[in-house]
Amino acid sequence: MSEARITRILMISPDSSVTSDQLVRKVHTIDDGLSVKETCYGCLIESDEKTMSKVMAVVRETYHNEVFSKVRGFPMGDPRRCRAQHGTRPGYSQLEAEWECLPLIQSALDDIDAGNTEYTVPEEKKPLSVRQMKEISEAFR
Amino acid sequence: MKIFIDPPNSMILFDLVERFGHEPLSTMAVIQEKVDNIEVDMPPMNVTLDDVVKGLKYAGVEVPSGVRGRMALWGPMIEAADAAIIIDEPPFSFGCVGCDRSNELAKYLLKRRKIPCLTVKYPSNEEEAKTMVGQIKDFLGGLGE
């Protein structure tokens, strides 16, 4: 990954009471030398690696499981992706689909933080044996 | 440790892997490399000659170009990974997950490398979410530093 620039997406879980505006104001106060852009789902941040790790540490500490984040390949406001310049947005349907899942992930993380680490392991699906398949087929003959 | 995530642009997996103290390997990092250094306009849709050659390492010339293009990005990440987390049966109509053959090939390459792999599912209720997050936490915790 390039060392010069790191762009990250911060996305607020739909269950959170934090607003994009609050998040942007908070991020702005963490350090200088970073650009922040408010979006409908949270914000975009761009800075060097050192500042970014500081910002992410503070964001995780302040908002715990309410704000999720991932790296973004394109720079902020890039004309190839920016809506203002009719850029294409191929990754956004994935983001939207995962955004709907975030309240579930948030509550699971909250549960784990509260010490409830037990969960039920789903049963592994096994392929039907030839004998069973034969029995089923013969039953419907 | 370096963890390959599948779907490779998944925010949930990227965030969880980072939260639990490991380095996620994602498509975004590879795309950034191309955007910043060689100024490719629309990666992964636009590829360079090098990408085509890289893709041929993982899939034959008769395989559709989309599979080779994807493998040019994912293949080196799979080779660099120490472990992998796969979300099974993702809705494949969105993002760069749009090719089921590439997904199958990526899973095959992961199995062939014999690195630790965890398969989970997108949750549809709180119980499933707890299972997913719990499994990921335990899996990553068991990997060590």
Side-chain angles (χ1 to χ4, degrees), chain B residues 1 35-37 39 41-42 51 60 80 85 88 95-97 106 108 114 116-117 122 124 126 131 142 144:
Chain B
M1 287 178 99
V35 171
D36 284 355
N37 299 339
E39 295 187 358
D41 233 24
M42 284 271 291
D51 291 331
I85 300 177
D88 211 15
C96 67
V97 203
Y108 167 69
K114 292 181 181 157
C117 279
Y122 272 118
S124 55
E126 285 198 5
T131 302

Side-chain angles (χ1 to χ4, degrees), chain B residues 13 16 20 85 118 120 132-141:
Chain B
L13 283 186
L16 289 178
F20 297 129
I85 300 177
L118 173 72
V120 289
M132 179 196 181
V133 177
Q135 278 184 308
I136 290 174
K137 186 177 185 283
D138 289 351
F139 175 73
L140 294 174

Side-chain angles (χ1 to χ4, degrees), chain A residues 1-2 5 8 11 60 64-65 67-71 73 80 94 98 111-112 116 118-120 122, chain B residues 9-12 14-15 18-19 28 32-33 35-36 40-42 94 122 129-131 133-134 138:
Chain A
M1 192 189 288
S2 166
R5 160 188 78 86
R8 285 193 86 114
M11 188 177 266
R60 290 244 158 92
H64 301 287
N65 306 324
V67 175
F68 291 79
S69 160
K70 76 166 181 175
V71 164
R80 290 164 290 190
Q94 161 112 25
E98 291 202 332
D111 250 17
I112 287 173
N116 305 325
E118 281 177 21
Y119 58 85
T120 47
Chain B
N9 58 348
S10 166
M11 186 180 64
I12 292 176
F14 191 97
D15 188 275
E18 256 193 351
R19 245 173 233 269
M28 292 81 75
Q32 178 173 356
E33 200 73 45
V35 171
D36 284 355
V40 176
D41 233 24
M42 284 271 291
F94 56 66
Y122 272 118
K130 207 173 162 189
T131 302
V133 177
D138 289 351

Side-chain angles (χ1 to χ4, degrees), chain A residues 55 66 71 76:
Chain A
V55 170
E66 293 175 274
V71 164
M76 231 165 63

Side-chain angles (χ1 to χ4, degrees), chain A residues 21-38:
Chain A
D21 182 55
Q22 286 170 331
L23 182 64
V24 169
R25 280 165 196 268
K26 177 70 190 168
V27 170
H28 262 306
T29 60
I30 298 170
D31 206 341
D32 48 7
L34 80 161
S35 316
V36 188
K37 184 182 177 195
E38 188 179 329

